[in-house]
Amino acid sequence: MKDNDTNRLSRLTAILTQLQTRRLLTARTLADKFGVSVRTIYRDIKSLEQAGVPIISEEGRGYSLMEGYRLPPLMFTEAQANALITAEQLVLKNKDTSFIKDYTEAIEKIKAVLKYNLQDNANLLSERTRFDQNNYLERNSNSLSELQFALTNFRIVKIEYTNEQKITTIRNIEPFALLSTENWLLVAYCRLRNEFRFFRLDRIKKLEILMDTFEPHKMTLQEYFERYH
């Protein structure tokens, strides 16, 4: 996700939050708040409308949400909530403190309307995702969303994995954390090796989330690094 994409995602989220907390907002007010043009706000409002948000446009006055509308828990699937949390981790690397503050507050309001089990999962994912660097390289994996689900729901994952030596093995793993370096890395307890291992997502050839669950590992990500590295 590039900076422009992250900025727009955070702005759309913040606009929706603003519309929920204020009765009427003009495009100019929103443009000034987010430091963009009025035309950009027009495009953002249209994007929210296309996403199903019932925005009422009052000519000459501004925008408001339909009476009685609130962002319901069912608006976000778990995968969508996880995507927002992942974007939050990207935002936290931004050097502009005000930008971080605005986005963090918006995310907290979104978490507040999630179902309780999704709130717990979202908070767990926040704690277990880390970005050490991100060079916005070409996409090279497609299993992040599934692994986020397995991590937060403590589900065992069966993978077909090819290591650096081009040796392919079938393993059952217990996802623990996700790290973003030059490639996405999964930290997981490997039942084949009986220890924690790093797995590059682009080397996972096949993946199946099993119905079996595992006992949550009682440590934070920082405690993991202190204990094993």
Side-chain angles (χ1 to χ4, degrees), residues 17-204:
T17 302
Q18 289 291 311
L19 287 170
Q20 284 203 128
T21 55
R22 299 190 185 184
R23 188 180 180 283
L24 195 67
L25 284 169
T26 66
R28 171 52 61 190
T29 298
L30 291 168
D32 291 343
K33 178 174 179 60
F34 299 110
V36 296
S37 68
V38 171
R39 180 172 293 183
T40 296
I41 294 298
Y42 290 154
R43 288 198 296 266
D44 288 345
I45 293 294
K46 184 176 181 180
S47 295
L48 288 171
E49 289 174 332
Q50 290 173 340
V53 179
I55 297 175
I56 298 172
S57 176
E58 300 183 30
E59 189 171 355
R61 299 190 63 198
Y63 300 104
S64 62
L65 285 177
M66 182 182 293
E67 183 71 26
Y69 175 82
R70 287 293 181 270
L71 189 65
L74 292 179
M75 178 167 284
F76 291 111
T77 64
E78 181 167 359
Q80 290 167 341
N82 287 344
L84 287 170
I85 299 305
T86 303
E88 179 188 25
Q89 297 301 310
L90 283 169
V91 169
L92 292 177
K93 294 184 69 65
N94 191 286
K95 297 182 184 299
D96 187 302
T97 55
S98 62
F99 178 65
I100 293 173
K101 179 177 181 294
D102 285 342
Y103 191 84
T104 301
E105 289 176 353
I107 284 292
E108 288 304 315
K109 289 180 179 179
I110 287 174
K111 287 180 182 177
V113 299
L114 294 173
K115 289 182 177 179
Y116 287 124
N117 66 313
L118 294 188
Q119 285 183 20
D120 293 340
N121 290 356
N123 289 327
L124 176 61
L125 190 61
S126 291
E127 296 167 1
R128 298 284 183 86
T129 303
R130 179 173 297 182
F131 290 83
D132 292 325
Q133 70 181 66
N134 194 313
N135 296 327
Y136 306 116
L137 299 178
E138 183 180 353
R139 296 181 181 87
N140 56 13
S141 68
N142 59 6
S143 54
L144 180 60
S145 181
E146 291 176 286
L147 289 170
Q148 287 177 327
F149 173 83
L151 187 158
T152 56
N153 289 276
F154 310 109
R155 295 273 286 273
I156 296 171
V157 179
K158 181 179 180 180
I159 61 172
E160 181 180 312
Y161 188 77
T162 303
N163 64 16
E164 280 186 79
Q165 290 73 41
K166 309 299 182 185
I167 299 173
T168 300
T169 53
I170 306 295
R171 306 162 183 246
N172 284 356
I173 59 174
E174 302 172 6
F176 175 74
L178 288 158
L179 313 176
S180 176
T181 56
E182 290 185 0
N183 296 281
W184 275 102
L185 296 178
L186 171 68
V187 181
Y189 184 82
C190 177
R191 291 190 167 186
L192 179 65
R193 306 302 184 197
N194 293 319
E195 62 182 0
F196 281 96
R197 289 288 183 95
F198 286 104
F199 298 95
R200 274 179 46 171
L201 266 59
D202 60 326
R203 291 180 178 164
I204 297 176

Side-chain angles (χ1 to χ4, degrees), residues 198 224-229:
F198 286 104
Y224 164 80
F225 282 119
E226 291 173 356
R227 186 179 304 179
Y228 295 100
H229 294 278

